[in-house]
Amino acid sequence: MSANFNSTPNKPARHRSWAEPFKIKMVELLKTTTIEERQRAIAEAGYNTFLLRSEDVYIDLLTDSGVSAMSDRQWAGMMLGDESYAGSANFYHLEATVRECYSYAHMVPTHQGRAAEHILSKLLIKPGDYVPGNMYFTTTRLHQELAGGTFVDVIVDEAHDPQSELPFKGNVDIAKLDALVERVDAKNIPYVSLATCVNMAGGQPVSMANLRELRDWCTRHKVLLVHDMTRVAENAWFIKQREVGYADKSVAAIVHEICALTDAATMSAKKDALVNIGGFLAMNDPDLYRRACDMIVVYEGLHTYGGLAGRDMEAMAIGIRESIDDNHIRARIGQVEYLGAKLQAAGVPIVRPVGGHAVFLDARRILPHVAQELLPAQALAAALYVDSGVRAMERGVVSAGRDAKTGQNYYPKLELVRLTIPRRVYTQAHMDVVAESVIEVTEQAASIRGLRFVYEPEQLRFFLGRFEPVA
């Protein structure tokens, strides 16, 4: 009798670990520093992790933007760069990829996502308009304001509660949209700005059910639905895991379905699409496309390169397809969940559930003795760097900025430090080092003092602002 190795009757399924769906071909050596060196470095940087030199950073979790590791296929594709000024073959490959994978009929490349936001805002917003969105993002809101619009937050209330376990905290509250229409009239709402996997909420996803409800609302009120699709593949993975009816669908199919429910999109390809530079503005309306082409020539370059080299567009086209592979997304989000689980097991206050691209530390609960006007998240990020050389970033009152009309600080309910995981860059051992440092800093939190500005830029102050400890 031959043995049956395919099944064991009545034996429960055993948990099986996953591993990264790639192997390492090249390494970049990291520099280790002493605590005294890190104390000097953070002071010279004005206690702003953005102003640290990368050579002084051990594990860099500042952002997931433009810091992914590209694949051998992407590097090979860069050798096929058609650097023609007009009509680059790589543009047409990228255009076809966006159409096939994301559903949008037209696309203009940009040098990165905020350039697409700039073009879109100038095309669609007039002074006095209101732009509702599921929580602000820094550059998105700024471009809307510079065009004369006013951002209105219409995300569900649970998104502002770091302890809420709602599985889709990125959802739009339709009742808030109805209230806005009652107040300002739909003709003063050029579009609804919908981000998938909402960054400022902790990387929280939007459900397909909520998106369909929002699509119906926009159609009914004749308002465009614009998709901030920077992390759409991550959002698709959460739909696959959490929403009824999607468990057997591929990430690629879910991504296409999400995009097909929207009218236009801005994309920073430096995140999901696995490239170091680039983005695009996509749309279905041919007239909007024509106007976008006219404007891209003014601000970015010809509509067939838009501020990018041909090789960059080729790497992006390849990266888009790699980004919607189920195995890639499983490993990408699995690493974030791994770090989040270690911190939760140690009792470190974080945003729950763990999001798609980062683990967010709840600075308010870690530093209850530091008032929000003394910038607790900024202070916590600086302390984490001093402890271990891990660079994170603030997502709280500093990032929120000031009201353009009153000059007063915005004080968001979420005061967070973002531990942002680059794609395909670090190992689980790096995540262990990060977790140990966060736990150590949390245990010593009583010794951390607040900060105050010594230099405050007028716009996007978290990038270049400088601080000093309060007495």
Side-chain angles (χ1 to χ4, degrees):
M1 179 184 293
S2 61
N4 182 355
F5 293 103
N6 295 321
S7 63
T8 304
N10 303 320
K11 184 176 181 179
R14 179 183 298 157
H15 172 74
R16 301 295 294 270
S17 297
W18 56 266
E20 291 81 358
F22 55 82
K23 60 183 180 181
I24 298 168
K25 284 190 174 183
M26 184 180 74
V27 297
E28 176 184 345
L29 300 182
L30 299 177
K31 174 183 174 182
T32 56
T33 56
T34 66
I35 191 168
E36 292 79 15
E37 289 171 329
R38 295 193 294 273
Q39 286 171 335
R40 285 195 299 271
I42 197 67
E44 290 172 1
Y47 296 86
N48 185 347
T49 53
F50 274 96
L51 300 180
L52 289 166
R53 293 173 180 259
S54 64
E55 64 184 22
D56 293 328
V57 174
Y58 178 43
I59 300 175
D60 201 343
L61 307 186
L62 184 74
T63 182
D64 62 333
S65 180
V67 293
S68 299
M70 292 205 303
S71 69
D72 53 355
R73 290 168 177 80
Q74 286 179 289
W75 281 109
M78 291 187 76
M79 297 298 103
L80 301 176
D82 174 6
E83 306 309 339
S84 303
Y85 186 89
S88 168
N90 309 119
F91 164 77
Y92 294 107
H93 182 200
L94 176 59
E95 181 184 52
T97 301
V98 169
R99 189 173 291 136
E100 181 181 343
C101 297
Y102 295 146
S103 85
Y104 300 109
H106 308 287
M107 179 276 301
V108 289
T110 59
H111 77 276
Q112 61 182 58
R114 72 190 62 174
E117 295 170 347
H118 170 228
I119 299 294
L120 181 79
S121 297
K122 291 186 74 68
L123 287 171
L124 296 183
I125 298 172
K126 65 181 186 299
D129 277 348
Y130 294 83
V131 186
N134 54 340
M135 199 173 284
Y136 83 98
F137 184 67
T138 51
T139 59
T140 312
R141 186 181 68 189
L142 177 60
H143 286 303
Q144 292 165 353
E145 291 174 347
L146 291 174
T150 299
F151 169 79
V152 181
D153 189 3
V154 293
I155 203 167
V156 293
D157 290 341
E158 290 88 345
H160 297 280
D161 178 3
Q163 299 181 68
S164 169
E165 295 283 0
L166 189 73
F168 292 101
K169 289 165 73 172
N171 281 355
V172 169
D173 187 331
I174 301 298
K176 292 180 181 179
L177 280 176
D178 289 336
L180 180 62
V181 167
E182 284 290 317
R183 182 164 64 88
V184 306
D185 200 288
K187 70 176 185 295
N188 294 314
I189 302 175
Y191 62 90
V192 175
S193 180
L194 178 83
T196 38
C197 265
V198 183
N199 189 352
M200 305 299 282
Q204 301 299 314
V206 177
S207 72
M208 194 71 79
N210 183 251
L211 176 53
R212 290 189 177 280
E213 188 178 8
L214 178 60
R215 171 71 272 168
D216 291 344
W217 187 95
C218 288
T219 300
R220 191 165 63 251
H221 291 278
K222 299 180 180 179
V223 172
L224 291 176
L225 179 52
V226 174
H227 180 197
D228 177 349
M229 61 178 296
T230 292
R231 298 183 176 90
V232 65
E234 295 169 7
N235 199 111
W237 176 258
F238 286 122
I239 288 174
K240 180 178 174 69
Q241 299 301 308
R242 300 176 183 176
E243 195 159 359
V244 175
Y246 286 91
D248 295 329
K249 290 194 175 185
S250 68
V251 167
I254 298 170
V255 164
H256 193 278
E257 185 175 343
I258 290 170
C259 296
L261 289 168
T262 67
D263 298 305
T266 58
M267 175 62 154
S268 171
K270 296 164 66 176
K271 284 83 167 176
D272 264 2
L274 301 165
V275 290
N276 304 130
I277 196 68
F280 59 77
L281 173 61
M283 69 287 288
N284 294 318
D285 179 25
D287 182 63
L288 181 60
Y289 173 62
R290 178 190 58 77
R291 294 167 58 210
C293 288
D294 291 345
M295 192 165 288
I296 211 80
V297 171
V298 176
Y299 291 104
E300 291 284 288
L302 196 64
H303 70 291
T304 56
Y305 76 89
L308 293 175
R311 56 183 174 269
D312 296 321
M313 291 188 285
E314 189 65 24
M316 192 191 307
I318 296 168
I320 286 171
R321 294 189 185 279
E322 292 181 356
S323 76
I324 56 178
D325 176 76
D326 283 34
N327 289 325
H328 162 73
I329 290 293
R330 177 185 295 111
R332 190 281 183 280
I333 294 183
Q335 190 173 54
V336 180
E337 291 175 340
Y338 176 86
L339 176 58
K342 290 187 76 73
L343 296 180
Q344 282 187 283
V348 176
I350 66 172
V351 172
R352 304 196 310 261
V354 175
H357 68 295
V359 176
F360 290 72
L361 307 179
D362 188 346
R364 276 186 160 178
R365 286 194 288 157
I366 294 173
L367 303 180
H369 60 288
V370 179
Q372 196 172 16
E373 58 265 27
L374 296 181
L375 320 178
Q378 191 74 40
L380 182 60
L384 180 63
Y385 170 75
V386 170
D387 179 76
S388 60
V390 172
R391 173 159 65 170
M393 74 167 294
E394 183 267 6
R395 278 300 186 218
V397 64
V398 177
S399 292
R402 294 184 182 272
D403 186 299
K405 295 178 181 177
T406 67
Q408 298 299 308
N409 278 323
Y410 290 114
Y411 286 104
K413 292 182 180 179
L414 297 175
E415 184 72 21
L416 309 174
V417 169
R418 191 180 76 182
L419 305 172
T420 332
I421 314 301
R423 296 161 186 80
R424 307 192 295 203
V425 171
Y426 292 116
T427 67
Q428 303 297 66
H430 288 105
M431 297 302 101
D432 292 337
V433 171
V434 172
E436 291 165 5
S437 179
V438 171
I439 293 165
E440 177 70 22
V441 170
T442 300
E443 290 175 350
Q444 304 298 323
S447 65
I448 297 174
R449 295 182 290 165
L451 299 171
R452 61 180 169 226
F453 275 103
V454 294
Y455 168 65
E456 180 181 353
E458 185 176 349
Q459 308 286 3
L460 301 177
R461 60 188 186 175
F462 61 94
F463 282 125
L464 298 177
R466 301 181 72 88
F467 310 89
E468 67 180 5
V470 298

